[in-house]
Amino acid sequence: MGLLTGKTLLITGVITESSIAFQVARAAQEQGARVVLTGFGRVSLVERIAKRLPEPAPVTELDVTDEEQLSTLPDRVREHTDRLDGVLHSVAYAPPGALDGKFLDTTWEEAATALHVSTYSLQALTTSLLPLMDRGGSVVGLDFDASHTWSGYDWMGVAKAGLESCARYLASHLGARGIRVNLVAAGPLSTLAARNISAGDGSGTFDGGWSERAPLGWDSRNFQPVANACVALFSDLFPATTGEIVHVDGGAHAVGDRPAHTPAVR
Ligand SMILES: NC(=O)c1ccc[n+]([C@@H]2O[C@H](COP(=O)([O-])OP(=O)(O)OC[C@H]3O[C@@H](n4cnc5c(N)ncnc54)[C@H](O)[C@@H]3O)[C@@H](O)[C@H]2O)c1
């Protein structure tokens, strides 16, 4: 018996094998879950990636900003399952003009795109799938700690602050239906989205000195801790937790400048 045996999850956000969503889908299947994926735009590419999971997963198209695709999503998901126990929101995008130190010059259109795709979409995705979660469920979103600024993150940081609040409001509105809504605030991981964000210092990296600050150390190529945290939140192990942000970042969020001792794991 796995932690997710008997559960069916809808997982957004797979675009490569190094997408956090792909790693969550793999870990969820390893714990017995059935998985349905959504793909944005390049569906045939996502279908190819989906075949590399332990169990090939069906893919249905979803642009989280497209009202029509959201409204037809439940019927398209019903082609694969009659109910969902969990939904992973692993979607974010900000135009180049909203990142990389351009905060002061970002136009409303650029900021609006970031907020639509990365923040409002948590409400839009969750509410569109309520017909499939009439027996409760668990919604998990991917966050990047929004309690500070991060060089280069700019309007994506604003979008993540909004995502944190959005998750709390959703938790408040959906608790009565037995639906939990939580975020995993991951440390930096080497994915396509992360590679589009530089530290604004020309270094081409965005990790804010994480591996030095995190008391437990941090390896941006190891997705397992983040994937496992998502699995745990989808499981029945957290029945009384909602509106929460679980930091899976080696402990970096808890430390101001550097840990008292050199991290053991690098
Ligand atoms: N990589 C990191 O360091 C890191 C750290 C903390 C949180 N996160 C968050 O994890 C999530 C997944 O990002 P990732 O790092 O795996 O990168 P990724 O590029 O693999 O995933 C981003 C996904 O967003 C999808 N997407 C973009 N616009 C969309 C739209 N309009 N509709 C539907 N899907 C759309 C892309 O197709 C892609 O699958 C994001 O919310 C990101 O902010 C990433």
Side-chain angles (χ1 to χ4, degrees), residues 12-16 18-21 39-40 62-65 89-93 117 142-144 153 156 160 163 184-194 206 223:
T12 66
V14 171
I15 190 68
T16 70
S18 70
S19 291
I20 295 173
F40 169 52
L62 181 65
D63 173 346
V64 290
T65 65
H89 178 281
S90 190
V91 169
Y93 173 74
V117 178
L142 269 305
D143 184 27
F144 191 70
Y153 210 46
M156 185 57 84
K160 289 300 188 192
L163 185 76
V184 170
L189 290 167
S190 184
T191 66
L192 193 62
F206 175 69
F223 291 66

Side-chain angles (χ1 to χ4, degrees), residues 51-139:
K51 292 197 176 99
R52 298 183 197 158
L53 286 167
E55 293 289 329
V59 181
T60 192
E61 186 171 16
L62 181 65
D63 173 346
V64 290
T65 65
D66 185 320
E67 293 296 332
E68 195 181 328
Q69 288 190 18
L70 284 164
S71 70
T72 59
L73 184 62
D75 282 343
R76 290 184 287 122
V77 173
R78 275 197 197 93
E79 291 169 17
H80 310 289
T81 178
D82 56 5
R83 76 190 166 87
L84 288 173
D85 303 285
V87 177
L88 183 77
H89 178 281
S90 190
V91 169
Y93 173 74
L99 295 168
D100 209 9
K102 303 187 193 82
F103 187 87
L104 297 178
D105 296 318
T106 301
T107 64
W108 166 237
E109 283 70 25
E110 290 164 332
T113 298
L115 296 168
H116 196 177
V117 178
S118 317
T119 307
Y120 180 76
S121 62
L122 182 64
Q123 184 261 33
L125 175 71
T126 303
T127 55
S128 77
L129 292 169
L130 288 178
L132 289 160
M133 289 196 286
D134 55 354
R135 282 189 267 165
S138 171
V139 177

